[in-house]
Amino acid sequence: MVGYDPTAPGSALTPEEAALAGSAAGMVTRALISPLDVIKIRFQLQIEQVSWRNRQGKYWGLWQATRCILTEEGLPAFWKGHVPAQLLSVCYGAVQFASFEALTELVHRKTSYNSQTPGVHFLCGGLAACSATFTCQPLDTLRTRFAAQGEPKMYRNLRHAVGTMFRSEGPFTFYRGLTPTLVAVFPYAGLQFFFYNILKKLLANQDSKSKGGLHSLVSGSCAGVVSKTLTYPFDLIKKRLQVGGFEEARMKFGQVRTYHGFVDCVVRIGREEGLRGYFKGLSPSLLKAAVSTGFTFFWYEFFINAIVSLKSS
């Protein structure tokens, strides 16, 4: 079970062990879901409507976007920005799960609350994600820039991107979109841990014959879909803000916009693109959320069990 469990046999996980399992889970999951992430980002950054019926923009559907990227940019395009994305996943997974395990243990030792209740997991999951987000935000910005650029590439490699952005836009550019990210990530991650806790226990009670790995995969996938749907507009706003100052490389994809902060971005999307504008890219995002969240929890518990087995032997 994810989180500190006072009834579990053996000693509690150390922060280092939780960080190791979290980073390994993030690394494996990222390699699997990168194509969906690239398509999602392309949809989020498109000003024109993403619709089969009204084909104004470059992309108007999931399969069309897949064929278009594959034809124009080749198969490696689906792993654009994979190095910063992989660094992001490893760093994020390590900080998030180490923080979550530490926070749930703190709740158990310092309060009267049960550390395995859904409410505690919601609070600790949200706080753990905020700490991971603040730590890893520069990597997320770099990942978005790489995934958003077309051909010819504006950034040759990670070192070139860091140097160019720092010189032309200053150090704070790496934290663009931090406000909507923190606003969104607390409920998003909190709801992930909340629903995962509930669904995992529910499946265990209903189907005691199946192995825990399947329960983790199904529970994580469902939790990811629900939490992503409820918090998606904040993710889209974050992506729009992160590519500010990057307009030249976006010209070939259609219209571009420059937003002056969080409120301006919210107002202009609503005025120019309507309510549906806040949910552009939702389809690949939900598919990605189901796969990534399911695999993250699955691999985390897998690596935790492996670490526990090695310790006991």
Side-chain angles (χ1 to χ4, degrees), residues 244-264:
F246 191 56
E247 288 80 9
E248 183 179 347
R250 297 287 310 151
M251 294 295 292
K252 64 172 292 184
F253 292 103
Q255 299 180 45
V256 296
R257 295 288 186 274
T258 300
Y259 301 107
H260 305 288
F262 176 68
V263 175
D264 179 57

Side-chain angles (χ1 to χ4, degrees), residues 3 11 27 33 42 53 86-87 90 108 118 120 138 140 142 158 187 192 212 221 226 249 269 277 299:
S11 59
M27 180 178 66
I33 57 93
R42 296 289 179 91
R53 297 177 181 177
Q86 196 60 270
L87 291 173
V90 170
H108 172 74
V120 169
D140 190 30
L142 286 165
L158 183 60
Q192 278 186 338
S221 296
V226 175
I269 290 174
W299 288 112

Side-chain angles (χ1 to χ4, degrees), residues 274-305:
L275 183 62
R276 295 181 64 180
Y278 296 108
F279 292 91
K280 283 181 176 176
L282 181 61
S283 297
S285 186
L286 289 182
L287 184 57
K288 176 206 165 189
V291 175
S292 64
T293 310
F295 275 131
T296 296
F297 281 111
F298 171 83
W299 288 112
Y300 178 72
E301 297 226 32
F302 173 84
F303 287 118
I304 284 297
N305 290 334

Side-chain angles (χ1 to χ4, degrees), residues 102-115 120 124:
L103 287 169
T104 51
E105 184 175 0
L106 182 66
V107 167
H108 172 74
R109 297 190 184 282
K110 300 296 183 180
T111 73
S112 59
Y113 293 102
N114 183 349
S115 61
V120 169
C124 294

Side-chain angles (χ1 to χ4, degrees), residues 2-15:
V2 175
Y4 179 76
D5 185 0
T7 63
S11 59
L13 287 173
T14 65

Side-chain angles (χ1 to χ4, degrees), residues 44-63:
Q44 287 178 324
L45 300 181
Q46 180 169 294
I47 303 300
E48 297 86 354
Q49 186 177 355
V50 180
S51 171
W52 278 96
R53 297 177 181 177
N54 189 15
R55 303 179 182 183
Q56 297 177 344
K58 185 178 181 68
Y59 306 119
W60 58 77
L62 181 60
W63 300 117

Side-chain angles (χ1 to χ4, degrees), residues 20-125:
L20 178 62
S23 60
M27 180 178 66
V28 175
T29 302
R30 170 58 59 184
L32 296 172
I33 57 93
S34 181
L36 290 171
D37 202 33
V38 169
I39 295 172
K40 182 203 74 169
I41 290 174
R42 296 289 179 91
F43 280 11
Q44 287 178 324
L45 300 181
Q46 180 169 294
I47 303 300
E48 297 86 354
Q49 186 177 355
V50 180
S51 171
W52 278 96
R53 297 177 181 177
N54 189 15
R55 303 179 182 183
Q56 297 177 344
K58 185 178 181 68
Y59 306 119
W60 58 77
L62 181 60
W63 300 117
Q64 178 270 339
T66 302
R67 292 194 302 270
C68 183
I69 294 172
L70 186 63
T71 302
E72 294 182 356
E73 304 171 53
L75 186 62
F78 292 105
W79 280 268
K80 275 187 176 179
H82 188 61
V83 173
Q86 196 60 270
L87 291 173
L88 169 66
S89 296
V90 170
C91 175
Y92 193 94
V95 176
Q96 182 183 35
F97 281 105
S99 300
F100 183 75
E101 296 288 344
L103 287 169
T104 51
E105 184 175 0
L106 182 66
V107 167
H108 172 74
R109 297 190 184 282
K110 300 296 183 180
T111 73
S112 59
Y113 293 102
N114 183 349
S115 61
Q116 282 297 318
T117 57
V120 169
H121 277 210
F122 173 81
L123 178 62
C124 294

